[in-house]
Amino acid sequence: METEENLRSTRIVFGVHCLKIRHKGMYVSYEPDPDPAVYNELFDSGSYWCAQTQTSFGPDGQPVRPDICQGGRTCCAL
Amino acid sequence: MKAFAYVNPANEKEAVAALRDAGVAMPIGGGQDILARMKDYITAPDRLVNIKNALDATITPVAGGLRIGAAVKIVDLAENAQVSRLYPNISAAAIEVGTPQIRNQGTVGGNINQRPRCWYFKNEEFLCYKKGGNRCFAPAGENQYHAIFGNDGPSHIVHPSSLAVPFLAYGAKFRVVSASGEREVAAANFFTLPTLQNVLKENVLADDELLTHVILPAPGTARHGHYEVRYKESHDWPLAFATVILKMSGQTISSASVVLGAVAPIPWRSEEAERALVGKTLSEATAAAAGEAAVRGAAPLSRNGYKVQVTKTAVKRAVMRAAGLRTV
Amino acid sequence: MPNFDQQPPAGGGAPTPQGRGGAPGGAPPAGGRGAAPAGGAAPQGRGAAPPAPPSALALKYPWPAKPVLLGTRVKRIDGPDKVTGRAKYTHDINRPGMLYGRIIRSPLPHARIVSIDLSAALKAPGVKAAYNVKEPGAQVMYQGDTVAAVAADTEERTKDAARLVKVEYEALPHFANEEQAMDPDAPVVFMGGNTRPGTAQDVGDIEAGFKQSAHIIEATYYTHVITHVCLESHSIVAEWEGDKLTAWCSTQGVFPSQQGLAMGLGIPAANVRVITQYMGGGFGSKLQAGAEAVIGAKLSQMAKLPVKLTLDRKEEHLDTGNRPSAGAKVKAGVTADGTLTSYQADSWGTGGAGQGVGNLPIPYIYTFPNRKRTHKDVYINSGTQRPMRAPGHPQACFLTEVLMDELADRVKMDPVEFRIKNAPVQVPSAMYRTYLPEGAKLFGWDKRHATGDPTPGPIKTGFGVSVHTWGGGGSGTQAHCDIMADGTVVMKCGTQDIGTGTRTIVALVTAETLGLPITAVRAEIGDTNYPRSGGSGGSTTAPSAMPAIRLTAAKALEALFVKVAPTLGVSADTLVATNGRIHVKDDPTKGVTWKDACKTLGADTISVDHMWEAGLSSVNSSGAQFTEVAVDIETGIVKVKRILAIQDCGLVVDRLTCESQIYGGVISSMNFALYEDRILDRVTGQMVNPNMEMYLLAGMSDIPKIDIILKDMPERGVVGVGEPPTVSLSAAIANAVRNATGAAIRSLPLHPHKILAAIEQQKAGGTL
């Protein structure tokens, strides 16, 4: 399920980001824009949380964000 | 909140006795202030003494004036015909207090004796002078609602009572009782500017004393004006307000009483504004001059300079109301 | 390496409508792009296959041309339950032996936990469980950060016990605002730095644009942080049966909360059932289970008894999210004839501890051909942001729309005319060129005076306008319909009613499709035991759920036709359902009542599943809001006198609940403009107004008449309307204040001190 969730996100990239990162766009159902050139993640407005801690900090106590929720953190699940 | 005992005395005598028993005892009227403070762990009495059955809840004519029991509900004060006839500024202040629910529960004594609205005082994290700490957080912090007069410190609260302001302006005396007797204190002497010694309180009432009555002298023939500036219409505290009582000699103001609210740690009498009014005729120019005079000595903090303008306007418009002029 | 920046990749997609590559009709970033449904339906996200062609069922059941219920004013079917208290919100749920949970939170904005001593709390009367949420050595990053938790048999004893938990902290450096965090000499508080740049954007030729400009404005605009202030606070009632958890949650998404609880507790998602029958406001702050729900469930697991954990108002302000701040230092140009040229902005914003403001869609809506931007996310020691009603849009709208009025003044154009001139190309989802003149006419815009009310006296009045856009499309919801032999109809869908009226419109669309009165169908929602639907966010609930409901009801009806047709001696495809009867389409007399039709089922039940299909919903909408304000220039107090909101939302499902969304959005936008303000003490970093006394919200006396014009576009299908109406009023109010006073107001909230300062500055000739 986790893998599938991440594959569905247009911004969080499977294999790059931690499988536990979440944002609003992952949990609401909406149509993709037909024009990929205008892609802009509406719901990805800077609010990220960790599915495991359910807060904006990972199990290691550091912030949850795409730029840092990648390999190299002890808690990161790829 | 901390667990507490509840005492329900039937009369003054029992009430003051209950205040004196062991542990920390505090009177409760409508509870609109103290219960919130207890829930927020700002105040933690061992015992609450209910004064609603013990103290007078009537408004009685006395020597051309009125004697108002401390247990009178604010709504009853606001709607009392004698009060509005003799002391319209008191009615005007009463109807602006809190919300209908607060006015239905809150009492006259409770309004006078309520604790500061200051957000540093009201939040447990801030151990300020008024909670036994050793600093006031306002000067370096968020002081947009704090004092612009009486700012010598150590505390920079504004007095929270809306009723105290017109009571003072009308020359009220407060009857105070304790187990060892009773005394009368002029409203003008009741409220205290903070010092390091008295900063835990806002007035001269001792822990075992109760304010039982507000005694208002005959008002004589006067013109009355009250003006409150508040941000929201519903449930908000005034940014500043002014109450003005003018005695006239023909077209000339022969004496004036101007008291400001929400601007200082006590209801703030403005002798400067009074002096600016005496000997003048009623006009918008006189009102504006009184407003200017009222704020001449203001000493705002870092973020409440706007209250000087707001206060000036409140005084001007209170005078205009007294003069029967349109304010806006 | 993919681009993870807050701003969209340059060249790939601009954060503005212009990014649409010459077809700016659609929303800016709004677009409703991105992830596919959380559950059920085939993934349709970026890179996935295009949506399947419509099924035969979908072709046969478009939205009806002559609806009976759709678009009418249908009262909420659960209204009587709500006003009589029969409706049970999470806080009303009580279970046998239930305990009460409470979280011990940090009073400090940044500290290392030296020690946590639970012993006194564990010995306190009635305490059944307590544990460390964080361990000694860990850091708390904001006031209200979770430290420990306790559960006891009464609410009072729980609160007492929570105060017996002794926590020793070592205070660490903190930031109470963006200025402190951006100070180059500040210590590094956050991993990776206290600020983080977004990708720069450079489109067109910014300098050439400025050269063409007759006027250039350089100014700084700012919107502040507010919190969600849900009337129903975040809460959970957790009950375990063996290794299975039932959780009554105040959540905007039963399925997201199911996953959050499962992952937070480390148990299979299949072991978690989440129920949300009634919900009292979320505004984006309840799209995740939240630590509070996990803690409640964990306390219950430890105590082996049900636990209710309800946050109080202070916790709500501190730790259930907020709307991030947004500031921008802007340079913008306009030609003498009022054509926008260049827009340059250095923007920033904070979403609290380690979170930024994210993607700010500036310049909002209007067409600046040349754009250059930098952005900085700033981290401070406050509670972290959660999505809040149209994330990024209210901020971006304010930053742009206030500038627009200032630019219009420079070229001496009416603000409406100036907006129309620079509006994007007209498409159904971006109808500014229609809504602006229509609204202006209805509002009496011709009575607007030029900037600065010339009327004598202290009360100045002014008009303001602003426009907005949003996505709000749908996808992916599944539903299940049972038609029983006694005529009973049950529609089940795992969506939830977050106070918007979803339960009512689920019943409404079912009834419409089956030709029944709304009272003849039962809508069952808000339970993970029902078919999957997404969280209620992004204005996606109605456009996701309504097509699924429509087609699932239609599929059940078709099955009933098959049963009934032989008894009427006709073929099933000749039948229709209207007015409580099933009959031959061209011969209403040839038919049976619904009840008689269902009798043909005998011992059977029709029981079908279906899902959302494309064609019954659309993405993107537009709107305009007008307001008139009165400003007392001697006190700085602003009163909003009236409001007009024009909004499209495609096909109106229930006019009453649709309007209700707009009322709520407009009032919320007014609160953003005038009253709400999360105030952190600049020295201690602690919030001074974590209540509803000093955190101001409009009361009834502060709210003026609100006129709503709903633009029906039934041909577009359902478009969500939860977020768009809360975007633009705050900017319109600021513009009206400027129109009244002549003073430039470039930041929110519009507190008297700001108004008075702006007036003073304007008197000194300093604003333009």
Side-chain angles (χ1 to χ4, degrees), chain A residues 33-67:
Chain A
D33 192 286
D35 180 358
V38 299
Y39 160 67
N40 194 317
E41 180 69 74
L42 170 61
F43 304 112
D44 189 5
S45 287
S47 175
Y48 299 93
W49 66 92
C50 171
Q52 184 181 334
T53 63
Q54 288 293 305
T55 73
S56 294
F57 291 88
D60 64 353
Q62 297 299 333
V64 177
R65 287 200 311 272
D67 61 301

Side-chain angles (χ1 to χ4, degrees), chain B residues 182-255:
Chain B
E182 66 174 86
R183 57 180 179 143
E184 276 187 7
V185 185
N189 299 326
F190 185 77
F191 303 100
T192 50
L193 277 169
T195 65
L196 282 173
Q197 288 70 45
N198 72 10
V199 70
L200 294 172
K201 292 183 176 187
E202 288 77 45
N203 56 49
V204 299
L205 203 64
D207 288 343
D208 63 351
E209 286 184 317
L210 277 175
L211 189 161
T212 69
H213 290 90
V214 176
I215 301 151
L216 288 158
T221 304
R223 287 173 168 268
H224 317 257
H226 187 85
Y227 196 93
E228 179 171 319
V229 180
R230 52 200 272 180
Y231 193 20
K232 291 198 308 171
E233 290 290 324
S234 44
H235 194 195
D236 200 5
W237 294 87
L239 296 172
F241 62 104
T243 213
V244 171
I245 300 150
L246 304 176
K247 298 214 167 144
M248 305 299 294
S249 170
Q251 295 301 306
T252 307
I253 300 165
S254 58
S255 78

Side-chain angles (χ1 to χ4, degrees), chain C residues 301-321:
Chain C
Q301 192 176 32
M302 292 171 75
K304 298 185 168 52
L305 286 168
V307 166
K308 177 187 289 187
L309 192 151
T310 305
L311 301 193
D312 64 24
R313 185 54 55 192
K314 186 168 184 171
E315 293 176 288
E316 290 286 299
H317 279 301
L318 293 176
D319 195 25
T320 61

Side-chain angles (χ1 to χ4, degrees), chain B:
Chain B
M1 66 177 82
K2 193 184 112 177
F4 61 91
Y6 187 74
V7 188
N8 200 7
N11 53 47
E12 257 179 43
K13 202 175 160 196
E14 285 178 31
V16 290
L19 283 179
R20 203 169 255 198
D21 288 346
V24 177
M26 294 182 183
I28 180 169
Q32 299 303 290
D33 179 45
I34 195 170
L35 290 177
R37 277 188 281 120
M38 288 167 69
K39 286 178 185 173
D40 290 339
Y41 296 92
I42 306 304
T43 300
D46 300 309
R47 190 166 63 257
L48 284 183
V49 179
N50 173 29
I51 59 87
K52 289 189 290 297
N53 302 317
L55 298 191
D56 188 7
T58 65
I59 299 173
T60 323
V62 176
L66 290 176
R67 185 177 149 104
I68 299 168
V72 167
K73 296 212 164 138
I74 295 168
V75 63
D76 295 328
L77 181 73
E79 292 175 356
N80 185 282
Q82 294 182 92
V83 172
S84 67
R85 183 170 57 81
L86 296 170
Y87 312 102
N89 292 1
I90 294 175
S91 306
I95 202 66
E96 299 258 30
V97 170
T99 63
Q101 291 92 331
I102 289 171
R103 295 193 290 274
N104 288 341
Q105 285 295 313
T107 61
V108 169
N111 185 275
I112 296 168
N113 288 300
Q114 68 184 299
R115 301 303 314 277
R117 63 179 290 200
C118 170
W119 46 32
Y120 294 110
F121 174 67
K122 289 265 184 98
N123 280 293
E124 198 187 359
E125 289 82 2
F126 302 99
L127 185 57
C128 68
Y129 281 123
K130 290 210 164 282
K131 297 201 287 278
N134 61 1
R135 63 191 276 209
C136 175
F137 290 82
E142 312 308 312
N143 51 43
Q144 49 266 55
Y145 299 123
H146 286 80
I148 58 169
F149 291 103
N151 257 342
D152 293 340
S155 164
H156 298 272
I157 64 146
V158 296
H159 197 274
S161 173
S162 291
L163 299 181
V165 169
F167 284 154
L168 200 158
Y170 284 114
K173 285 183 178 151
F174 298 149
R175 177 178 175 263
V176 170
V177 300
S178 72
S180 40
E182 66 174 86
R183 57 180 179 143
E184 276 187 7
V185 185
N189 299 326
F190 185 77
F191 303 100
T192 50
L193 277 169
T195 65
L196 282 173
Q197 288 70 45
N198 72 10
V199 70
L200 294 172
K201 292 183 176 187
E202 288 77 45
N203 56 49
V204 299
L205 203 64
D207 288 343
D208 63 351
E209 286 184 317
L210 277 175
L211 189 161
T212 69
H213 290 90
V214 176
I215 301 151
L216 288 158
T221 304
R223 287 173 168 268
H224 317 257
H226 187 85
Y227 196 93
E228 179 171 319
V229 180
R230 52 200 272 180
Y231 193 20
K232 291 198 308 171
E233 290 290 324
S234 44
H235 194 195
D236 200 5
W237 294 87
L239 296 172
F241 62 104
T243 213
V244 171
I245 300 150
L246 304 176
K247 298 214 167 144
M248 305 299 294
S249 170
Q251 295 301 306
T252 307
I253 300 165
S254 58
S255 78
S257 174
V258 179
V259 184
L260 315 179
V263 296
I266 56 173
W268 190 257
R269 186 172 166 202
S270 177
E271 290 179 21
E272 297 86 342
E274 291 170 357
R275 276 198 297 274
L277 288 164
V278 173
K280 303 288 189 314
T281 54
L282 290 173
S283 71
E284 183 165 354
T286 300
E292 295 289 346
V295 299
R296 210 159 283 144
L301 301 170
S302 57
R303 290 170 56 78
N304 66 1
Y306 76 100
K307 283 185 66 170
V308 175
Q309 168 64 32
V310 169
T311 304
K312 192 197 310 186
T313 304
V315 171
K316 180 178 97 170
R317 292 183 185 175
V319 174
M320 287 170 76
R321 279 191 173 164
L325 298 169
R326 267 192 60 166
T327 55
V328 293

Side-chain angles (χ1 to χ4, degrees), chain C residues 126-175:
Chain C
V127 171
K128 307 285 186 199
Y131 78 101
N132 294 349
V133 176
K134 287 188 178 57
E135 293 303 328
Q139 291 186 20
V140 285
M141 299 303 291
Y142 52 92
Q143 182 198 10
D145 200 352
T146 54
V147 175
V150 60
D153 57 358
T154 70
E155 205 172 344
E156 294 77 11
R157 284 175 151 182
T158 306
K159 284 189 176 173
D160 288 346
R163 294 180 72 82
L164 294 173
V165 174
K166 290 191 195 72
V167 186
E168 197 186 334
Y169 298 97
E170 175 198 344
L172 295 171
H174 67 266
F175 307 128

Side-chain angles (χ1 to χ4, degrees), chain C residues 74-143:
Chain C
V74 177
K75 288 181 188 157
R76 288 170 197 247
I77 56 175
D78 47 11
D81 287 343
K82 287 184 177 181
V83 297
T84 56
R86 281 195 300 269
K88 299 295 177 208
Y89 289 77
T90 299
H91 188 70
D92 300 320
I93 303 289
N94 290 306
R95 305 297 301 165
M98 187 178 76
L99 307 176
Y100 295 83
R102 187 160 179 84
I103 299 169
I104 290 87
R105 296 175 180 276
S106 170
L108 298 175
H110 187 202
R112 180 173 289 106
I113 300 172
V114 176
S115 65
I116 304 173
D117 181 359
L118 299 175
S119 57
L122 282 165
K123 278 182 234 148
V127 171
K128 307 285 186 199
Y131 78 101
N132 294 349
V133 176
K134 287 188 178 57
E135 293 303 328
Q139 291 186 20
V140 285
M141 299 303 291
Y142 52 92
Q143 182 198 10

